[in-house]
């Protein structure tokens, strides 16, 4: 049966505990197959120099298209899904529900704040000059979620991914207690921590060694292997 | 049926996706009931001053017993479970499998490194003087896991919890890809980041505002509510 591929099954039997976990996804697309097939990941250690010599050239060469993000920012797509908007060209952003969230209940609330400012690829591009932008997203994002969904800041996990899925700065807002994919410490960076780190060291994300998982089929992993870094 | 209490059930039906998740724990103790009942959590913001005026007095007053940890360190308990030992009184530690891990497969590998040095309660107590200790745990812990389980460092997530479950310094080693409970960004701190942060700022964990989730039945949460901080 086709769907068997997408069900994961785990059986643990420690002395006094039997635990069964299952996930069934039906129907499933090719993307789901890829997501749910056991894909091995490796933790990569990226120094500031590695970013310049390995990661950045890879990102630039791939020229991952973020045209779909620009379509959202220009209201050519998903305009009806916008939950909140700050139109300021420097510190402004759009807040939208993530596609993983069906918006039927706040238990798995998941929204994304996308900066209007273009050209900020990721955490690595952030310096002290972006503090007003980050603080605006943090404050106004939390306020908008309180107003729209009656969910206070104390119920939210607000973070960035590194590496991100796409190289246009965006921030994740998920409900605390909901184990959102990618909220693990190996990939997520609390926005509150990012702000504090930049306040105390403007070069924090330029100079720090950052750690992140890459799947075996990720082209960037090959680059790290070629460089003898794995 | 008693066990119904411990099964969690979640049904999501976004437009093209049906996902069913179940967890069955059988038989279950009172502790399991507490763990699996939907317990609401709140994210607490703790400044360095809050730690001194709210958290530390609470920890000291509760005088949470870590006698069971001392029993392990003194080989009065679990001596047969020790995977690796560095006996140095300053930088030494014991490495043991966590009780959540049945040790039957490395897919959900979970080990704990417990420092021999007593009196280091948590992240908040760490300063530059603890760097040799942290580096020893990081290096020797990874080496021991490679030797014993053939799992290289690139497959490991190594982190501390804040707040920890008990106030005697310990470090978690889990397999990358295994969604271990408590590995979310809101509670876990990568040991590699902790080391870097202390290297660049000896007072990092004394002065930083730290964020962590507390369950509604946690006495510390009441203290933060009483202080008007929630």
């Amino acid at each position: 049966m086709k769907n068997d591929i997408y069900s994961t099954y785990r059986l643990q039997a420690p002395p006094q505990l039997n635990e069964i976990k299952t996930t069934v996804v039906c129907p499933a697309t090719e993307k789901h197959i890829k997501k749910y097939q056991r894909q091995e990941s490796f933790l990569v250690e990226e120094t500031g120099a590695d970013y310049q010599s390995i990661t950045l050239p890879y990102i630039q060469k791939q020229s991952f298209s973020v045209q779909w993000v620009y379509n959202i920012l220009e209201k050519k797509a998903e305009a009806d899904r916008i939950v909140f908007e700050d139109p300021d060209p420097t510190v402004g952003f759009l807040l939208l529900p993530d596609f993983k969230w069906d918006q039927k209940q706040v238990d798995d609330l998941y929204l994304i704040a996308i900066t209007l400012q273009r050209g900020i690829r990721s955490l690595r591009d952030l310096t002290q000059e972006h503090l007003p932008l980050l603080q605006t997203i943090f404050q106004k994002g939390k306020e908008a979620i309180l107003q729209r969904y009656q969910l206070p800041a104390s119920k939210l996990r607000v973070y960035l991914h590194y590496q991100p899925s796409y190289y246009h700065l965006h921030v994740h807002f998920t409900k605390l207690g909901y184990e959102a994919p990618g909220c693990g410490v190996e990939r997520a960076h609390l926005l509150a921590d990012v702000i504090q780190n930049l306040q105390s060291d403007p070069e924090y994300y330029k100079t720090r060694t950052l750690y992140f998982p890459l799947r075996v089929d990720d082209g960037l992993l090959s680059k790290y292997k070629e460089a003898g870094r794995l």
Side-chain angles (χ1 to χ4, degrees), chain A residues 23 47 66 70 104 141 159 165 183 191 201 224:
Chain A
T23 302
T47 64
V66 286
Y70 297 161
K104 288 182 181 165
Y159 54 100
S165 308
C183 75
L191 180 54
D201 177 5
Y224 272 83

Side-chain angles (χ1 to χ4, degrees), chain A residues 94-142:
Chain A
L94 292 185
L95 184 70
L96 299 99
D98 185 274
F99 274 110
K100 284 186 283 299
W101 184 36
D102 65 12
Q103 305 177 60
K104 288 182 181 165
Q105 61 288 308
V106 295
D107 278 351
D108 56 349
L109 176 138
Y110 200 143
L111 293 116
I112 301 283
I114 307 176
T115 60
L116 298 190
Q117 209 186 127
R118 300 180 186 195
I120 313 171
R121 279 175 292 245
S122 75
L123 210 55
R124 282 284 190 201
D125 282 339
L126 295 175
T127 64
Q128 230 160 358
E129 69 171 297
H130 301 108
L131 281 170
L133 166 64
L134 299 173
Q135 283 158 332
T136 301
I137 292 175
F138 200 31
Q139 281 313 317
K140 294 194 174 177
K142 291 189 289 189

Side-chain angles (χ1 to χ4, degrees), chain A residues 25-224:
Chain A
V25 180
C26 169
T29 63
E30 282 303 315
K31 209 175 144 197
H32 287 118
I33 299 176
K34 204 162 182 182
K35 183 178 167 191
Y36 281 93
Q37 275 172 335
R38 197 171 274 276
Q39 273 278 349
E40 225 187 333
S41 287
F42 292 89
L43 195 74
V44 171
E45 181 179 296
E46 180 196 75
T47 64
D50 291 334
Y51 175 72
Q52 291 298 332
S53 66
I54 305 173
T55 309
L56 184 57
Y58 176 78
I59 297 169
Q60 287 169 334
K61 201 170 176 186
Q62 294 292 309
S63 65
F64 297 110
S65 176
V66 286
Q67 186 55 51
W68 65 273
V69 177
Y70 297 161
N71 289 345
I72 294 173
L73 298 181
E74 292 164 10
K75 314 267 177 83
K76 292 175 185 167
E78 302 185 39
D80 56 324
R81 300 179 74 245
I82 295 169
V83 167
F84 176 80
E85 175 175 7
D86 179 327
D88 184 283
T90 309
V91 302
F93 68 98
L94 292 185
L95 184 70
L96 299 99
D98 185 274
F99 274 110
K100 284 186 283 299
W101 184 36
D102 65 12
Q103 305 177 60
K104 288 182 181 165
Q105 61 288 308
V106 295
D107 278 351
D108 56 349
L109 176 138
Y110 200 143
L111 293 116
I112 301 283
I114 307 176
T115 60
L116 298 190
Q117 209 186 127
R118 300 180 186 195
I120 313 171
R121 279 175 292 245
S122 75
L123 210 55
R124 282 284 190 201
D125 282 339
L126 295 175
T127 64
Q128 230 160 358
E129 69 171 297
H130 301 108
L131 281 170
L133 166 64
L134 299 173
Q135 283 158 332
T136 301
I137 292 175
F138 200 31
Q139 281 313 317
K140 294 194 174 177
K142 291 189 289 189
E143 284 164 21
I145 289 171
L146 176 62
Q147 196 156 15
R148 177 75 165 255
Y149 306 102
Q150 289 75 54
L151 210 62
S154 62
K155 307 297 284 181
L156 292 176
R157 186 199 286 120
V158 187
Y159 54 100
L160 289 86
H161 277 162
Y162 191 74
Q163 299 287 332
S165 308
Y166 49 96
Y167 292 88
H168 174 104
L169 196 74
H170 57 284
V171 175
H172 304 252
F173 288 76
T174 59
K175 182 168 180 293
L176 194 71
Y178 163 51
E179 305 293 323
C183 75
V185 65
E186 68 273 25
R187 193 174 176 206
H189 298 256
L190 283 187
L191 180 54
D193 287 341
V194 173
I195 289 171
Q196 285 189 86
N197 288 334
L198 288 173
Q199 281 169 334
S200 61
D201 177 5
E203 298 294 299
Y204 191 97
Y205 291 103
K206 301 271 182 212
T207 55
R208 253 347 132 92
T209 296
L210 296 176
Y211 296 79
F212 48 83
L214 289 179
R215 288 160 65 130
V216 281
D217 61 356
D218 194 310
L220 184 55
L221 187 69
S222 315
K223 296 294 171 194
Y224 272 83

